[in-house]
Amino acid sequence: MTPIQAKRRVQAKRRDGPARVAIVGAGVSGLGIGWRLAQAGVGVDVFERDRAGSGASDAAAGMLAAGVECEPGEEALLALTLLGRQLWPAFRDELEAASGLSVGYRDEGTLVVATTQDDARRLRFLTEFQQGLGLALDWLTGSEARRLEPHLKPGIAAAVFSAADHQVDNRLLVQALKLAFTRAGGRLHEGRAVTGLLAQGGRARGLQLGGESHEADAVVLAAGAWSRLLPGLPEADQPPVRPVKGQMLALAMDPARPLLERVLWAPGVYLVPRRDGRLLIGATVEEQGFDGSLTAGGLYALLEATRRVLPAIEDLAVAETWVGFRPTSRDDAPILGPGRLAGLWHATGHHRNGILLAPVTAAALSDAILGRPAMPALAGFGPERFAAPARPLEAAAGARP
Ligand code: FAD
Ligand code: GLY
């Protein structure tokens, strides 16, 4: 232990917070919480069975789309996603300063286009719902949309522009969090699978790693879509989280002449242009458990939906294809807060919003673990809201891939 780490540990003890925290999973949730705790002087170990980001965090599109992704039934979640969106610029500044890395944050906004009159009617309905919740969205004609994005196919029926829905490069985000966390004194253990939760005397005492035990005063469950599979979790603390599969691909644009400047949503697809020229195309939403296969049907549907709005993609090379598993809770909202077992904390279930919610997750969980007052926006997102046993989809997802 370095002298700085030793001093931080003493400071943490003085505040009555836990001196040692062990975190399962090095996605944006685990690393973000770990970073905040390490900054506060806590001794933090993050255990990742593969490499940091290898779960959903590298697979994501990086949209910070609190506005256009808000659907009927998600009114309660909106307060949290809007807080995520609001916290992002300061989080980015602090993270970039701490890591010395850019996270590729882009603020050109998001455009949603309708290709037919039927689509336009559906878009009008959704937009009025979103505007009714106070979201600032501008209704555009097809030609106004094409003035913003000249490569759009002629004949777009209508569009909506959300100036406040931005994007970040989620893979750069993982790298920056890794660096910020370790620079703050945290220890990242990649290639270390957690094989069990250690509990004794009615509280979490640490983690089992094969034949080795790692003792801790508190344990954070941030294992994404795999969270309910951790051996040793008491039944009452198995979060109702299942994998929701997403297939995606990236095409290679000329970075000097990109086909898009903004994030674009069209029927059946979204497109995210990166500064390095990659055009991300996503994503399927499939209840297939941990089936990691890329399918002709999935990729074809994404490409066909893209070609209908952006025909110039036909000449682009395919740069990459991949599958990710969204950690989806029973009500599609994150599970953030103390478990029934003392010393166990849940940070999972972020579904389609874990990148957007990364700043909130990091702040909320670290505040709670350190005994600081809870953020009001967090009320209602604790694990205690799921009192009933797991439903069939979650039970079926119980088979480890
Ligand atoms: P993960 O990133 O999955 O991390 C969990 C980690 O735990 C994994 O690395 C895993 O290997 C590790 N782990 C599991 N079990 C163990 C164990 N026993 N021992 C050690 N390690 C273990 N969100 C947005 O906000 N915007 C988007 O545009 C967006 N697009 C998406 C597109 C797709 C295709 C997908 C799949 C997701 C998307 N998401 C998006 C959602 C977002 O990616 C997730 O909500 C977020 O990454 C969850 O982060 P996490 O750290 O909680 O989980
Ligand atoms: N938020 C985009 C996705 O989950 O596909």
Side-chain angles (χ1 to χ4, degrees):
M1 196 189 310
T2 65
I4 292 176
Q5 286 168 335
K7 190 173 155 207
R8 283 186 178 145
R9 246 177 223 199
V10 172
Q11 286 169 342
K13 275 196 174 140
R14 275 199 204 113
R15 271 195 314 272
D16 289 336
R20 298 161 309 169
V21 174
I23 300 179
V24 189
V28 291
S29 302
L31 288 172
I33 297 162
W35 177 40
R36 289 303 190 207
L37 288 173
Q39 280 180 317
V42 178
V44 189
D45 290 90
V46 174
F47 294 97
E48 166 57 51
R49 64 179 172 195
D50 194 331
R51 56 170 176 77
S54 61
S57 295
D58 272 1
M63 295 177 292
L64 309 177
V68 302
E69 276 204 69
C70 178
E71 291 177 358
E74 293 186 346
E75 292 84 343
L77 180 59
L78 182 65
L80 206 59
T81 56
L82 283 178
L83 180 62
R85 197 170 79 176
Q86 184 195 327
L87 293 182
W88 246 105
F91 184 78
R92 168 203 60 200
D93 291 347
E94 192 183 346
L95 181 58
E96 290 186 344
S99 66
L101 289 181
S102 162
V103 295
Y105 186 96
R106 292 184 60 169
D107 61 2
E108 294 92 342
T110 295
L111 193 63
V112 186
V113 297
T115 47
T116 64
Q117 290 307 324
D118 270 357
D119 290 339
R121 271 190 288 277
R122 276 191 289 274
L123 184 58
R124 174 73 80 178
F125 172 82
L126 185 61
T127 303
E128 284 173 358
F129 161 77
Q130 292 164 339
Q131 286 170 329
L133 297 174
L135 295 166
L137 301 168
D138 298 319
W139 187 261
L140 305 181
T141 63
S143 32
E144 285 169 332
R146 286 192 74 223
R147 269 200 290 282
L148 287 178
E149 294 293 353
H151 290 278
L152 280 175
K153 191 174 178 174
I156 294 292
V160 165
F161 181 60
S162 171
D165 283 335
H166 299 158
Q167 62 144 309
V168 66
D169 185 325
N170 41 292
R171 293 185 184 176
L172 295 180
L173 171 64
V174 169
Q175 293 312 311
L177 282 171
K178 242 175 97 161
L179 263 177
F181 169 61
T182 50
R183 283 183 179 177
R187 289 172 296 268
L188 173 61
H189 310 268
E190 292 175 284
R192 294 297 308 275
V194 177
T195 53
L197 173 73
L198 295 177
Q200 203 188 17
R203 64 170 299 124
R205 300 281 177 194
L207 296 172
Q208 193 68 39
L209 298 128
E212 203 181 297
S213 315
H214 176 88
E215 286 181 20
D217 307 308
V219 168
V220 181
L221 183 60
W226 300 270
S227 291
R228 72 183 295 276
L229 304 178
L230 183 69
L233 275 180
E235 203 178 332
D237 264 316
Q238 292 171 6
V241 170
R242 66 182 195 282
V244 172
K245 175 180 173 180
Q247 301 188 48
M248 284 190 67
L249 71 153
L251 304 180
M253 302 184 292
D254 177 351
R257 288 185 300 147
L259 297 184
L260 278 182
E261 283 295 328
R262 291 157 192 80
V263 173
L264 182 82
W265 285 72
V269 75
Y270 57 73
L271 309 174
V272 184
R274 296 283 203 236
R275 286 261 180 255
D276 63 4
R278 284 156 55 91
L279 179 64
L280 273 47
I281 301 183
T284 64
V285 180
E286 303 172 61
E287 297 285 359
Q288 298 282 356
F290 286 108
D291 165 22
S293 56
L294 285 153
T295 64
L299 296 181
Y300 174 78
L302 295 173
L303 283 167
E304 177 55 17
T306 306
R307 199 175 60 114
R308 265 188 257 129
V309 288
L310 207 64
I313 60 145
E314 286 194 4
D315 298 325
L316 302 181
V318 175
E320 192 186 343
T321 55
W322 67 93
V323 169
F325 299 107
R326 302 173 183 88
T328 303
S329 75
R330 200 180 295 163
D331 60 7
D332 291 350
I335 306 174
L336 302 169
R340 294 228 186 134
L341 184 70
L344 177 66
W345 298 84
H346 293 243
T348 185
H350 293 78
H351 187 40
R352 308 190 72 165
N353 291 311
I355 308 298
L356 169 63
L357 292 175
V360 176
T361 302
L365 261 287
S366 57
D367 281 356
I369 292 169
L370 293 167
R372 295 173 181 159
M375 301 165 105
L378 224 67
F381 292 103
E384 68 285 348
R385 71 186 190 275
F386 301 110
R391 287 181 181 170
L393 273 175
E394 293 139 13
R400 191 174 289 276

